[in-house]
Amino acid sequence: MSNFYIIAKNEISNIYSRLKSDALRSLSDHKDEVYEAVPEISDIDTEISLINTTFIKNRLKNPQLNTPEAAVQRKEKLKALNDRKTALLTLNGYPADYLTIHYSCPICKDEGFVNGKRCECYKKRLSEILYKQSSHADIIKEESFENFTLSYYSRELMPGYKKSPYDNMVDKLSKAKEFTKSFDKSGKNILIYGEAGLGKSFLSHAISKELIESGHSVLYLSANELFEDILSKYIMSYDSEIKAKIEPVYELVYNADLLVIDDLGTETRNNFTASQLFEVVNQRLISSKSTIITTNLSLQDFRLAYSERLMSRFVEKYDFFNIFGKNIRYQKKQNAFLNKNK
């Protein structure tokens, strides 16, 4: 993840430059086409341009000419000309807005920013770029709900559990699918915990894939990437250039539709990571942004590793997915060994 924010920022700037160029080129092509087919429309656009140019010149050189009456007359002339142009377009088989510039995002007009803040389209594009460049991209392509197999989960009860690993996973898989279906309405969060090799990351990958494909911004990070590559470098750095490069991804930590923190507990734990984890979790709850966290820690170890205050936020606002059973990675290796030696 270390260089993602640099690559992503450069790439997204290029994307918006291309989008604006494409929109302007398309408009220019439309004008050339229409002007040749309906010359009167070209004359109308020339007259509109002349009226606007005259208005600007008068405003600068002869302010006394800019009376309320003159403004009304100008507005009426422009309306009449635009109405005539629209009528000519439709009469000749063109859409009424054929000579209007069409942006891929009408909100920010392909600038990526609205009133100094990053547009929602920027967040989605950035998350897509980060996803494609990340070490998780190839994994997420394969680890989907369709590819999730329940055959590794035993149907026999384990001591201390009321459900078999199989029944438990059927339940969690169903809830994970429901999480994606009701994502825009529910605002839910999930803590997936259990021992290593039981499918926790697979489940979070499957959820991420569904939401990415449905057009949501998803930021998928390991705990180490979150704390070491983003939060510590952005917060601790005194270098303005480094902060500027990291800032888009740092903001996405708080603003992405879904943030996935994978393998929480594997990072270097200290006061900084504990306080920043609470800050991220709490701020995303306040702004109703969903978060999924996976961890190999038990709930008791989790409480001891971080804080009672953080744990109380999880109890209050998170659904708990306890995954248990036999290590799937070990089962796969064992099966591969047995098949090899048949």
Side-chain angles (χ1 to χ4, degrees), residues 7-20:
I7 298 168
K9 191 172 183 181
N10 292 337
E11 185 171 336
I12 204 166
S13 295
N14 292 335
I15 287 172
Y16 279 104
S17 293
R18 287 198 301 270
L19 288 171
K20 284 185 285 187

Side-chain angles (χ1 to χ4, degrees), residues 260-302:
V260 180
I261 308 174
D262 195 31
D263 269 344
L264 188 65
T266 58
E267 76 285 355
T268 301
R269 278 176 260 165
N270 50 44
N271 289 337
F272 174 81
T273 56
S275 64
Q276 286 305 306
L277 177 61
F278 180 84
E279 180 70 12
V280 170
V281 167
N282 196 51
Q283 287 302 317
R284 289 186 61 83
L285 286 174
I286 291 171
S287 58
S288 299
K289 299 291 185 181
S290 294
T291 307
I292 293 176
I293 295 174
T294 74
T295 180
N296 293 343
L297 299 174
S298 67
L299 294 184
Q300 180 62 25
D301 289 339
F302 192 93

Side-chain angles (χ1 to χ4, degrees), residues 3 37 42 44 85 91 121 141 146 165 191 223 226 229 278 280:
N3 292 318
S42 176
I44 290 173
K85 182 166 72 171
L91 185 64
C121 70
K141 286 179 184 177
E146 291 75 17
L191 175 64
L226 173 64
D229 291 339
F278 180 84
V280 170

Side-chain angles (χ1 to χ4, degrees), residues 152-154 158 161 165 195-196 198 323-328 331:
Y152 292 102
Y153 298 92
S154 172
M158 291 176 59
Y161 295 97
E195 295 180 3
L198 294 176
I323 311 298
F324 53 87
K326 293 182 179 179
N327 190 301
I328 294 172
Q331 291 184 65

Side-chain angles (χ1 to χ4, degrees), residues 24-39 42 45 94 98-99:
L24 290 170
R25 188 181 303 109
S26 177
L27 178 61
S28 178
D29 291 344
H30 285 188
K31 282 184 177 181
D32 290 343
E33 177 189 353
V34 170
Y35 288 173
E36 183 177 350
V38 191
S42 176
D45 277 348
Y94 293 100
Y98 198 66
L99 294 182

